[in-house]
Amino acid sequence: MWAFPPAPGYPPGPAGYPQQAYHPHAPMMAGYPPPPGMKPGKGMPEPAGKSRRRKKKVPQGGPKKPATSFVLFSNTVREEVKAANPGLSFIELGRKLGEMWREMDPAVRKDYEDRATAAKDRYLEEKKIWLAQRAAGMTQD
């Protein structure tokens, strides 16, 4: 392995270490605590709060997840709200739909919740069948 000659003003690397792997301030920094939020020996700060989660890999070809009761409601009412309020932006439209959902009559809301529950039950049944077929090697991934 080749090594560069020491730069002027810097001591040569310790015996057995190539010059590019030796940092002249390493002996002085050995006992120095890192600043808050920094890992020892790393130049990048840790993310504040919680650590990053890895995204789950979802197998392809399974049944699509069902819509929630609010999504069923908003899909039903969205066009009417857009027509009644043509100047609303996407965010304002979402706020308006959320407000309507919160103020909705419980009996009407129960209808959407029942439809969502039925869709979820259907989804769980389809998923159970799909997982069994996948375990048996009958599906194509």
Side-chain angles (χ1 to χ4, degrees), residues 128-139:
K128 188 189 303 182
I129 293 167
W130 177 73
L131 287 173
Q133 289 175 344
R134 188 167 172 251
M138 296 171 64
T139 60

Side-chain angles (χ1 to χ4, degrees), residues 93-123:
L93 180 65
R95 285 188 186 132
K96 179 79 172 165
L97 289 169
E99 181 182 318
M100 291 172 66
W101 175 252
R102 284 187 296 276
E103 296 172 357
M104 183 185 293
D105 180 42
V108 178
R109 190 172 180 163
K110 178 98 171 85
D111 178 47
Y112 287 107
E113 289 170 351
D114 291 343
R115 288 170 42 195
T117 303
K120 184 177 180 182
D121 293 341
R122 225 179 9 259
Y123 162 75

Side-chain angles (χ1 to χ4, degrees), residues 59-79:
Q60 299 296 318
K64 187 177 176 182
K65 285 195 174 185
T68 63
S69 53
F70 174 72
V71 171
L72 291 172
F73 162 74
S74 60
N75 287 344
T76 306
V77 182
R78 179 176 281 115
E79 293 305 318

